[in-house]
Amino acid sequence: MTVVTDVVCPLCGSVCDDIEVEVEENKITKVIKGACAVGKSKLQGHERIKSPMIRVNGVLKECSYDEAIKKAAELLAKARRPLLYGWSSTVCEADKVGIALAEEIGGVVDNTASVCHGPSVLAIQDVGIPCCTLGQIKNRADLVIYWGSNPANAHMNHMKRYSYISKGYFLPGGKKDKKLAVVDVRETSTSKMAELFAQIEPGKDFLLFSAVRAVLMGYEDIVPDEVGGIPKEKIVTLANMIKESRFFITFFGMGVTQSRCRQNNIVNAIQTTRAGHLHTKGAIMPMRGHYNVNGFNQVCTWETGYPFAVDFSRGFAWYNPGETASTDLLGRGECDVALIIASDPASHFPADAVKHLARIPVIIIDPYHNPTTEFADIVIPSAICGIEAEGSVYRMDNVPIRVRKVVNTDYMSDEEIVERILEEVRAIKEKEGE
Amino acid sequence: MQMIKLMVKDDVMSGVAKIPIEVDSLTPDNLFGKNEAEIKAVKVWWGNRQENTGDLFEVSVDGAAGSADEVKIVFEGDLTRVKHIGDGMKAGEIEAHGDVDMHCGAVMEGGRVTVKGNADCWAGREMRGGELVIEGDAADNLCAMYRGEMTGMTGGKVTVGGNAGECVGQYMAGGEIVIKGNADVLAGYAMRGGRIVIEGDAAIPGADMIKGEIIVKGDVEMLPSFKYIGVETIEAETYDKYIGDYAMGEKKAKGTLYVRKK
Amino acid sequence: MEGIKVILISGRTIAQGENLENKMSEEYFNAVAICELNEGDMARLGVSADENVKVKTDYGEVVVKAKKAKGYPEGIAFIPMGPWANALVSANTRGAGMPAYKGLDAVITKTDEAVLYITDLFRKYKEEAWKK
Amino acid sequence: MVEELRIKNGVVYDPINGVNGERREICIRDGKIVEDVMNPKVIDAEGKVVMPGGVDVHAHIAGGKVNSGRIFRPEDERRGREPKTKVCRSQSGYSVPNTFTTGYRYAKMGYTFVMEPAMPPLLARHTHEEFIDIPILDKAALPLIDNNWMTFDYVKSGDSEKLAAYIAWMIKATKGYGVKLVNPGGTDAWGWAKNQGLNDESEDWGITPAEIIRALAEANEKFEMPHAIHLHQNNLGHPGNFEMTLETYDVTEGVKASKDRSVTHLTHQQFFSYGGTSWKDFESQAKAIAEYVNKNEHVSIDTGTVILGDTTTMTADGPMEYSLYQITGRKWTNCDVELETGAGITPFLYSGKVGVHSIQWTIGLELMLLVKDPWKVALTTDHPNAGPFIGYPIVISTLMSKKRRDEVLSEIHSAVYDKSELPSIDREYDLNEIAIITRAGTAKILGLQEHGKGHLGVGADGDVAIYDISPEERDAGKIQRAFMNTKYTIKGGQIVVKDGEVVAAPEGRTFLVEPIFEDEEIYKEMLSDLETKFRDYYSVTMRNYPVQDAYTPHPYVIKAPMAK
């Protein structure tokens, strides 16, 4: 038995990197400290896909990696509108190869951000984002606002490591030195801890942001008595909490990005932070889901100029979520082959988009069986990044961390698999060119 | 006058995947002076490959034109996956018989596009001039900006016979949009100039606007950051007048929102 | 039996997160194929915990188990993020790339129909896909 | 296989070796300049100008804030896009191009080395990851070490040995090249939305920016570092800041350089050469700055010359970006980095119609024309702050042609005639001086001439730019075109650009400096202090912090022993 320290958790966007595990016979047998319940579950693993498979007469049959990769390359090389989706639960090194593959085949490459914080990115493209790393919050933020986000359930270590419950240089007393405000449509375990909880009517976030902004800008007089179910008094209290803080941070979740006004809720949230900044110091940050959803966005941006939903049909990058995001391509029935990696659109896309997966050839690369495997024609199992393979990931605050390889494996890594597919595609194209 | 008919071939849209055709090369400016064979050879993008127009469309040419102004292109067949109709056109006329896909009339500078059906997102995106008529509904981001730009439509006129989706005229700086039906959330978002008339209902119009004019004749879900000024009469109708958006600060809040009195 | 009108939201839960990579399991099914409602709404529907309800939107319908939960105002229902919630969501992203997963208008009725297990749900999708 | 190349008949400018426009032959073997070759591929450069590969001393080409600039400017990305070719990846962007494009465009201008001058240590991995994706160029990066709480502690306690130990650790941990300072003290104060002038004492730490600058300069000189401290001082971009600029220059006077170079390299001084009391009476004070540089040996500068047009500004100077955004009301991104630094980004349009912008444009040129010794001044646009690097050929042609300057002056805001010296300056750069401010001098400033950059002597890297222009050419348009697209660019002996097209895109190297701190006892004490910082205040563990070797697949390591 050996103890491995400083293990990086490959689960959510918090990317906790102080985890200790016990390894025995090439398996993580115990998580000693650092990980939350969800992280522990990931680190200790589940039932794996045993072998690559190809669907023959409706049934998945085991085959070799070579066969599966070759078949996948053939499908992709001839596709007219291929989609390469996922990329958030793998490392940046794999993402890079994926982008090169998309470019090679004139495909659309997109990651899970498009159904998660894609709208946040669109908002940043409108107005930018005053942000900071999580340690800055831990050391300075005396007002923490969670808006449409429930970290107690979705990012369980977040408050303890980085925000409300953590102790920092200028806030040695931890939560005694801080205030917590929560805006949500329902009571949550997070809202119960808050000094101010505004229970907003669904779909009214945009209005509430505008009201808080108007107060912060000095126009309390024009704000009506109630906005989105929140009395004016409470709106003014929230604005005053912002004004009186030394450093405020708003964390927002999908409660804001997925409801009415979507990306424009975030535009308004950012504008509200800018208005608060006229009085004090403020920052705002999306609560990113997958541990490397941000990493793909980073890599895709430096390689193509755009963070996700990039369409290479014409040889150069064209970016237009709403047209070039995965749900658009599947929901509108545009795409003719899909490669899915490190994600599960069958579980997370609207039914009509999922149904299109049933109509077209689907290649899936993943360590685990998941509902998308039900639709797959080619299944390629891979090593688990952060446990069996190493590489770069980007935390929700853009801090790059290298996840570790803790145990050995016979599975090929995502990076190797995609690289091999790319090589096969190039070989096919070269042959065609002759 | 020259009439060019382009009918999408049936088999093009009959596959399992409906792959969009992008026809920004098929504008009066570009087709003027070409004969039928030459038009058939004009390249259009179909997914990740370029094809001859003649392979995807039945092409017929009738009459002659002395300039692009005298060219009229008629699109027929299943147009629901035909994108960029009239994108960038400067002169002449396009008529689309049916529902059209995204970016219809985007960046157009002159001429006229008529859609005898609905138009999908980004119709009239960054429009500079000319006229766009959508007889049915317009989907979201009608006459909006491209991502990240601070300028949307700057000129021309757009009329929508039915309803319009979210963010009509986002970052609009000039020109006029008339919606006969309702407009979904955030019409005139971050508007900097020009005029939007909504004859039906509107939800939270005018957010972050700093200039320009929005007129709503139906019901309005108001933002909490507009200031009521008083009553004004426009074309013999009485309107409540608001100034905003005060969320942008008083110095910038120079947009006007008129709501017809019931 | 007449249904009730609700606004439907979805989101992550701990149990859903723990079984993210274990979706073909009983645990995931139990964690996700559910609809949380407040006590009043449960009573209005005439269902008790673990009885089945049918949830319907403009875009689809799905049968899930009703669960009583605290913290919700009347008229708000919650289905954890996952395939059952997504049966009710439109694939039209309204020019944003992102479906509207939250804030859907829905009608809930009590039902005797069974909750489809994940493989059955997707078998149904496959059949429907080719009907189109 | 031995790769050999002979460039014959070219007119060579190699200032480090005293070659000023002479017909010389250049031979390359195995990527290095050699005396002679046996079976070379021959390039006939008859009537053309031959220079060493360009060396950029300061351009923000990679890392967290550059990428944040790309992310929030899809409208910039759609300018200048090019489809993929057999050699090149797809290209996007104008002021914040994608990584591949950055490599191709520099190579087309004849550049082969670029210094990324601001790497937040906590985000260092990001910078190196982007480096891997910038083809052709050799690169290095300067970690920001001036707003770090560890630095503050040691400046406060006056513990210069531990400070030296810390910067040695930091440069190694980040795989960096030297010491970068950006608004020392002020960037940390921005954590509370405040800022600091040169002699303001920090409320939280009880030290002044001047003390930080002096201490880091002294710590840097404890090693034989190839480069001076690289300083973006306090008070950037404000009217009347030239006085503080001159005071800042004085701060490191008397510090003894450990090598033959300046003690302080002051970057993009255009932004620090402002007179007046507000934007209304704004004027150039480039002359005062240039005079100081002319008289003193402990400073070198680069210019940050303005390219008129739209660009993306980005700097670790968070408060400065905030004030810029307040002026324009355009989009604004800020990122504070815990215990270390920060960054701000906002788009900006330099318009010839605006008086202030027009004067800013003159200042960057004045600095280059008024500093007499070209070895002390380097051409930069502080890419992309004063304009994108692809504007260099415009600047070069403007320096070489008084006529062009007069043409521009007559087209932009007339304030330039009252508020700037530029209209009265007659000096025109020659090609030798251009070679100094774009490669020879910049290589010397960075200490790279000992490592094969900036010259064409035997043993140097086979990095050569061949410009299709006669040495006598005075036409600004022709000069600009020639410097925009080389006839040939050769990198490490390989032809990478031919007739303005990228024909090969090999991977470049990363240059790293390893300072060697000798006193183990002191080093251990410093490590123990650092462990406390990680345990209590950082959000990552100390073991996960240093940049792993995987991020520098082609390293070139320069050892920096303790100074004698």
Side-chain angles (χ1 to χ4, degrees):
Chain A
M1 194 267 299
T2 49
V3 173
V4 186
T5 64
D6 302 273
V7 172
V8 183
C9 179
L11 189 93
C12 82
S14 297
V15 194
C16 302
D17 71 330
D18 56 352
I19 290 159
E20 273 181 40
V21 299
E22 269 181 27
V23 175
E24 213 162 344
E25 285 174 10
N26 210 26
K27 258 197 185 124
I28 295 178
T29 47
K30 190 178 166 193
V31 178
I32 304 168
K33 72 169 191 111
C36 68
V38 184
K40 263 185 200 162
S41 160
K42 162 105 193 202
L43 286 163
Q44 292 181 333
H46 308 283
E47 180 73 23
R48 300 282 287 273
I49 301 172
K50 295 207 169 48
S51 153
M53 294 180 281
I54 295 180
R55 198 174 290 274
V56 184
N57 299 327
V59 183
L60 285 172
K61 292 239 163 77
E62 292 195 357
C63 66
S64 67
Y65 267 113
D66 285 351
E67 281 173 87
I69 284 167
K70 198 154 182 282
K71 182 89 183 101
E74 282 165 12
L75 286 169
L76 290 166
K78 68 172 190 224
R80 196 181 270 276
R81 195 145 174 76
L83 168 68
L84 294 83
Y85 173 79
W87 311 107
S88 299
S89 288
T90 185
V91 292
C92 294
E93 288 77 357
D95 295 344
K96 281 188 183 185
V97 191
I99 292 162
L101 176 61
E103 204 179 89
E104 191 68 44
I105 60 176
V108 175
V109 64
D110 187 26
N111 83 323
T112 62
S114 67
V115 291
C116 183
H117 275 287
S120 312
V121 176
L122 300 185
I124 291 166
Q125 292 173 337
D126 260 1
V127 286
I129 183 165
C131 192
C132 60
T133 65
L134 290 162
Q136 184 82 338
I137 292 157
K138 163 189 162 95
N139 289 315
R140 293 188 198 251
D142 56 351
L143 173 61
V144 178
I145 303 167
Y146 284 100
W147 194 310
S149 152
N150 179 18
N153 280 23
H155 298 76
M156 293 164 71
N157 275 357
H158 193 268
M159 283 193 282
K160 191 173 75 191
R161 278 176 65 90
Y162 309 121
S163 75
Y164 180 53
I165 306 173
S166 68
K167 289 178 181 167
Y169 185 86
F170 295 105
L171 303 155
K175 67 179 177 183
K176 282 194 295 235
D177 296 341
K178 306 181 192 188
K179 288 181 176 170
L180 176 69
V182 171
V183 182
D184 208 318
V185 294
R186 57 181 173 136
E187 247 180 58
T188 63
S189 7
T190 312
S191 75
K192 283 177 196 150
M193 302 163 68
E195 177 169 324
L196 180 143
F197 171 46
Q199 188 161 358
I200 188 173
E201 291 167 5
K204 299 290 173 70
D205 300 85
F206 192 95
L207 297 166
L208 186 56
F209 283 121
S210 288
V212 175
R213 269 171 78 191
V215 178
L216 288 170
M217 298 299 285
Y219 311 107
E220 192 182 320
D221 55 324
I222 63 168
V223 173
D225 292 340
E226 190 217 283
V227 177
I230 313 294
K232 180 172 178 174
E233 202 183 16
K234 205 169 213 173
I235 295 168
V236 174
T237 307
L238 179 59
N240 285 338
M241 282 169 80
I242 290 172
K243 282 191 207 171
E244 285 156 16
S245 68
R246 273 191 97 190
F247 189 124
F248 72 96
I249 171 79
T250 305
F251 292 107
F252 60 93
M254 290 189 285
V256 193
T257 63
Q258 294 183 337
S259 51
R260 188 175 78 141
C261 297
R262 276 172 276 209
Q263 72 268 30
N264 296 313
N265 288 325
I266 315 305
V267 172
N268 215 351
I270 294 168
Q271 296 275 36
T272 306
T273 309
R274 290 170 24 152
H277 216 288
L278 295 171
H279 304 277
T280 178
K281 174 83 180 188
I284 177 165
M285 194 184 298
M287 297 288 281
R288 308 293 306 247
H290 294 80
Y291 68 94
N292 201 29
V293 62
N294 187 19
F296 177 86
N297 298 148
Q298 295 290 341
V299 173
C300 193
T301 302
W302 80 61
E303 289 206 332
T304 74
Y306 309 101
F308 64 103
V310 172
D311 181 350
F312 284 110
S313 293
R314 292 191 179 195
F316 55 74
W318 163 248
Y319 161 78
N320 198 28
E323 177 182 15
T324 60
S326 305
T327 311
D328 301 316
L329 257 71
L330 292 170
R332 290 159 48 88
E334 286 185 19
C335 107
D336 57 352
V337 176
L339 179 143
I340 310 294
I341 177 165
S343 70
D344 179 19
S347 298
H348 297 133
F349 280 12
D352 280 346
V354 178
K355 286 174 195 167
H356 192 64
L357 286 175
R359 294 184 204 114
I360 58 168
V362 174
I363 304 149
I364 182 158
I365 304 171
D366 206 280
Y368 298 108
H369 274 288
N370 68 40
T372 304
T373 1
E374 298 284 306
F375 295 86
D377 302 279
I378 301 172
V379 178
I380 310 178
S382 62
I384 304 168
C385 297
I387 298 172
E388 299 164 343
E390 61 182 331
S392 292
V393 309
Y394 284 72
R395 211 165 63 182
M396 62 167 70
D397 58 347
N398 302 336
V399 171
I401 296 177
R402 189 167 183 82
V403 297
R404 290 167 188 275
K405 181 175 174 169
V406 184
V407 298
N408 292 318
T409 183
D410 293 331
Y411 288 106
M412 274 170 82
S413 71
D414 292 323
E415 185 186 356
E416 282 174 277
I417 294 165
V418 184
E419 182 75 58
R420 287 277 314 277
I421 294 175
L422 177 58
E423 281 165 17
E424 291 285 341
V425 164
R426 284 190 175 138
I428 293 167
K429 295 231 155 180
E430 209 151 288
K431 228 175 174 183
E432 278 173 0
E434 272 164 12
Chain B
M1 196 69 197
Q2 184 181 47
M3 169 93 99
I4 302 168
K5 274 197 184 171
L6 301 168
M7 159 92 92
V8 178
K9 290 184 175 176
D10 285 345
D11 57 332
V12 173
M13 288 298 158
S14 63
V16 165
K18 285 183 84 175
I19 296 165
I21 308 171
E22 302 193 350
V23 296
D24 38 320
S25 54
L26 303 179
T27 57
D29 316 274
N30 212 25
L31 299 192
F32 164 66
K34 291 189 171 70
N35 63 28
E36 192 177 311
E38 286 165 336
I39 290 169
K40 282 180 171 169
V42 170
K43 297 285 182 195
V44 291
W45 284 94
W46 189 31
N48 55 16
R49 293 164 174 79
Q50 279 186 304
E51 307 290 347
N52 294 322
T53 298
D55 292 339
L56 304 182
F57 294 87
E58 306 286 356
V59 179
S60 70
V61 181
D62 197 18
S67 71
D69 282 324
E70 290 169 24
V71 175
K72 179 174 177 177
I73 301 172
V74 177
F75 285 95
E76 292 176 334
D78 181 354
L79 303 175
T80 54
R81 288 294 175 271
V82 180
K83 287 180 180 170
H84 295 277
I85 290 175
D87 184 332
M89 75 186 267
K90 295 180 174 70
E93 198 181 339
I94 293 181
E95 215 171 77
H97 291 251
D99 298 347
V100 301
D101 208 350
M102 298 171 181
H103 306 291
C104 176
V107 214
M108 71 184 277
E109 291 175 26
R112 184 187 158 95
V113 176
T114 308
V115 178
K116 296 186 167 298
N118 304 325
D120 212 323
C121 298
W122 290 286
R125 163 176 60 81
E126 301 173 282
M127 190 168 165
R128 303 278 169 262
E131 195 177 353
L132 170 63
V133 178
I134 297 162
E135 295 184 354
D137 296 337
D140 308 282
N141 307 323
L142 174 74
C143 301
M145 78 299 177
Y146 176 67
R147 307 265 177 227
E149 296 281 2
M150 286 179 83
T151 309
M153 179 177 180
T154 55
K157 184 172 179 184
V158 176
T159 312
V160 177
N163 301 324
E166 299 180 5
C167 299
V168 171
Q170 188 172 3
Y171 281 100
M172 179 177 184
E176 189 181 6
I177 304 171
V178 179
I179 316 283
K180 304 277 187 193
N182 305 326
D184 206 335
V185 292
L186 296 168
Y189 192 20
M191 200 170 168
R192 272 131 170 78
R195 183 180 146 105
I196 300 176
V197 180
I198 300 160
E199 298 189 354
D201 304 338
I204 53 175
D208 286 8
M209 74 187 291
I210 57 176
K211 235 179 156 182
E213 204 174 88
I214 304 174
I215 298 165
V216 189
K217 301 189 176 174
D219 292 337
V220 174
E221 180 188 352
M222 282 293 298
L223 280 163
S225 48
F226 271 68
K227 191 174 193 169
Y228 182 65
I229 297 296
V231 175
E232 212 172 289
T233 306
I234 308 171
E235 288 166 7
E237 305 258 19
T238 320
Y239 286 83
D240 285 326
K241 182 181 180 181
Y242 297 85
I243 298 286
D245 180 349
Y246 273 76
M248 296 294 282
E250 192 166 11
K251 266 194 213 156
K252 288 190 174 174
K254 307 284 184 218
T256 317
L257 171 64
Y258 294 100
V259 181
R260 187 161 71 176
K261 267 209 173 307
K262 296 281 124 45
Chain C
M1 176 79 208
E2 209 165 291
I4 60 164
K5 281 188 178 172
V6 295
I7 293 175
L8 183 70
I9 52 177
S10 70
R12 294 194 181 107
T13 66
I14 296 176
Q16 171 260 340
E18 282 175 331
N19 292 291
L20 260 184
E21 279 161 352
N22 196 26
K23 292 201 193 88
M24 313 310 283
S25 69
E26 190 81 26
E27 292 93 322
Y28 184 71
F29 177 76
N30 291 335
V32 178
I34 59 166
C35 178
E36 295 183 353
L37 292 158
N38 82 5
E39 205 165 1
D41 285 336
M42 297 276 282
R44 282 203 287 152
L45 268 173
V47 295
S48 41
D50 291 337
E51 286 189 322
N52 292 356
V53 290
K54 181 179 273 184
V55 188
K56 215 171 168 176
T57 66
D58 288 348
Y59 314 106
E61 58 178 57
V62 74
V63 178
V64 286
K65 268 197 171 77
K67 297 269 178 191
K68 191 158 69 185
K70 281 184 184 152
Y72 295 96
E74 194 150 287
I76 290 195
F78 176 88
I79 303 183
M81 176 174 152
W84 290 271
N86 292 336
L88 306 166
V89 179
S90 165
N92 182 348
T93 74
R94 309 293 307 269
M98 162 73 109
Y101 288 105
K102 295 181 201 273
L104 298 168
D105 292 322
V107 175
I108 304 185
T109 47
K110 189 176 173 176
T111 183
D112 293 331
E113 288 176 42
V115 182
L116 288 182
Y117 198 70
I118 195 156
T119 38
D120 299 325
L121 182 69
F122 287 128
R123 188 168 307 127
K124 186 176 144 231
Y125 281 6
K126 284 183 200 169
E127 285 161 16
E128 286 170 3
W130 287 108
K131 260 186 230 157
K132 228 181 176 181
Chain D
M1 197 184 77
V2 181
E3 295 274 352
E4 293 187 336
L5 204 61
R6 186 195 304 278
I7 303 159
K8 61 177 194 184
N9 300 331
V11 181
V12 177
Y13 293 85
D14 180 11
I16 284 178
N17 295 305
V19 180
N20 182 356
E22 293 167 35
R23 235 175 128 96
R24 290 267 178 120
E25 234 175 53
I26 307 290
C27 298
I28 304 173
R29 185 169 196 255
D30 286 342
K32 297 279 182 194
I33 308 280
V34 291
E35 292 283 0
D36 204 0
V37 281
M38 307 289 288
N39 284 309
K41 180 182 165 61
V42 177
I43 292 174
D44 186 353
E46 178 68 44
K48 297 178 179 52
V49 166
V50 177
M51 291 186 183
V55 175
D56 196 333
V57 74
H58 186 111
H60 301 276
I61 54 165
K65 70 177 174 305
V66 179
N67 220 31
S68 294
R70 295 186 189 108
I71 283 181
F72 90 157
R73 295 211 70 188
E75 77 280 19
D76 186 272
E77 297 305 330
R78 90 175 155 151
R79 296 165 73 188
R81 65 190 173 200
E82 299 269 348
K84 166 186 186 305
T85 68
K86 279 216 157 81
V87 178
C88 296
R89 300 285 299 267
S90 71
Q91 300 181 49
S92 303
Y94 169 68
S95 67
V96 275
N98 62 333
T99 46
F100 306 119
T101 306
T102 301
Y104 307 146
R105 286 190 190 152
Y106 262 112
K108 286 183 185 182
M109 299 192 311
Y111 275 72
T112 54
F113 184 97
V114 180
M115 175 63 74
E116 159 56 56
M119 174 164 71
L122 181 61
L123 314 179
R125 245 178 301 275
H126 184 157
T127 305
H128 288 291
E129 273 205 284
E130 287 197 26
F131 276 179
I132 294 171
D133 276 344
I134 297 178
I136 305 173
L137 303 176
D138 289 338
K139 293 137 297 214
L142 296 170
L144 290 146
I145 317 191
D146 58 324
N147 280 285
N148 303 48
W149 292 2
M150 284 287 286
T151 300
F152 290 172
D153 284 353
Y154 293 144
V155 171
K156 173 85 178 159
S157 65
D159 202 334
S160 60
E161 289 299 316
K162 278 196 198 154
L163 182 58
Y166 175 59
I167 69 169
W169 185 86
M170 202 49 139
I171 292 168
K172 279 186 282 186
T174 58
K175 299 200 187 293
Y177 191 85
V179 177
K180 178 68 188 298
L181 301 85
V182 173
N183 192 0
T187 298
D188 182 76
W190 180 239
W192 301 128
K194 291 179 179 160
N195 202 355
Q196 256 184 295
L198 182 66
N199 293 305
D200 299 342
E201 188 168 290
S202 150
E203 283 169 36
D204 292 327
W205 314 102
I207 52 172
T208 68
E211 289 164 353
I212 298 168
I213 295 166
R214 178 88 186 185
L216 282 172
E218 286 170 350
N220 193 57
E221 300 305 344
K222 285 187 193 293
F223 305 94
E224 290 182 6
M225 294 291 284
H227 187 33
I229 58 164
H230 195 108
L231 173 60
H232 156 154
Q233 65 265 40
N234 308 83
N235 212 12
L236 179 143
H238 295 292
N241 64 6
F242 83 103
E243 284 173 349
M244 193 179 284
T245 297
L246 295 175
E247 281 177 60
T248 306
Y249 288 6
D250 275 338
V251 169
T252 53
E253 203 192 357
V255 177
K256 194 178 163 294
S258 65
K259 296 199 68 145
D260 176 25
R261 51 156 172 75
S262 63
V263 170
T264 310
H265 178 77
L266 293 120
T267 189
H268 42 74
Q269 294 299 290
Q270 176 270 127
F271 292 114
F272 292 99
S273 306
Y274 297 165
T277 57
S278 73
W279 296 115
K280 291 202 177 86
D281 62 355
F282 180 79
E283 61 176 9
S284 166
Q285 284 287 353
K287 197 176 175 186
I289 303 302
E291 271 170 13
Y292 189 102
V293 175
N294 285 336
K295 280 186 204 144
N296 289 278
E297 295 306 316
H298 68 284
V299 292
S300 57
I301 66 168
D302 66 79
T303 55
T305 301
V306 168
I307 307 293
L308 294 171
D310 189 61
T311 194
T312 310
T313 70
M314 55 179 68
T315 163
D317 195 340
M320 181 269 151
E321 288 289 344
Y322 180 67
S323 40
L324 198 58
Y325 138 70
Q326 286 199 300
I327 294 170
T328 64
R330 292 175 73 174
K331 52 186 124 178
W332 166 60
T333 281
N334 180 73
C335 182
D336 297 351
V337 179
E338 64 205 58
L339 287 84
E340 294 183 349
T341 182
I345 312 154
T346 195
F348 195 80
L349 173 70
Y350 293 100
S351 165
K353 290 183 186 136
V354 177
V356 169
H357 304 171
S358 301
I359 297 163
Q360 286 179 305
W361 176 80
T362 69
I363 295 172
L365 297 166
E366 279 179 280
L367 285 173
M368 278 185 284
L369 293 163
L370 294 172
V371 171
K372 288 179 190 142
D373 179 0
W375 294 95
K376 284 181 168 177
V377 61
L379 186 163
T380 67
T381 59
D382 185 16
H383 165 83
N385 283 299
F389 65 80
I390 50 167
Y392 289 176
I394 301 175
V395 182
I396 289 169
S397 65
T398 314
L399 289 170
M400 291 183 73
S401 167
K402 163 82 172 156
K403 185 165 169 264
R404 165 163 275 197
R405 292 204 292 273
D406 289 342
E407 282 164 12
V408 178
L409 284 166
S410 70
E411 284 162 13
I412 59 179
H413 196 280
S414 62
V416 291
Y417 290 104
D418 299 331
K419 308 284 191 183
S420 162
E421 300 275 323
L422 190 66
S424 66
I425 302 172
D426 293 328
R427 180 177 170 193
E428 288 182 336
Y429 266 60
D430 62 23
L431 285 167
N432 195 54
E433 289 171 314
I434 293 295
I436 294 170
I437 62 167
T438 56
R439 49 262 288 161
T442 47
K444 267 193 96 173
I445 287 170
L446 292 171
L448 284 168
Q449 82 281 14
E450 295 173 21
H451 301 281
K453 296 293 177 197
H455 71 104
L456 296 171
V458 168
D461 288 353
D463 294 2
V464 186
I466 303 174
Y467 297 106
D468 195 358
I469 185 180
S470 144
E472 284 77 41
E473 184 61 63
R474 303 315 287 172
D475 180 82
K478 284 185 184 159
I479 294 169
Q480 183 183 327
R481 277 193 295 280
F483 278 94
M484 186 59 115
N485 290 302
T486 59
K487 181 73 184 170
Y488 286 95
T489 303
I490 295 144
K491 166 74 194 341
Q494 184 179 7
I495 297 171
V496 292
V497 176
K498 191 182 172 193
D499 296 323
E501 294 297 322
V502 174
V503 293
E507 290 174 12
R509 292 176 293 167
T510 308
F511 280 51
L512 324 170
V513 173
E514 288 188 0
I516 302 159
F517 188 83
E518 281 167 5
D519 190 324
E520 283 178 24
E521 231 11 72
I522 294 177
Y523 200 75
K524 266 191 206 151
E525 284 171 32
M526 180 279 296
L527 284 179
S528 143
D529 294 344
L530 190 55
E531 274 159 19
T532 310
K533 286 278 184 295
F534 273 100
R535 193 191 59 220
D536 294 343
Y537 307 126
Y538 268 108
S539 64
V540 298
T541 69
M542 191 161 155
R543 265 193 71 203
N544 284 320
Y545 185 90
V547 176
Q548 293 82 354
D549 290 341
Y551 296 92
T552 49
H554 310 290
Y556 178 90
V557 179
I558 299 172
K559 301 267 184 203
M562 304 287 298
K564 291 173 191 83

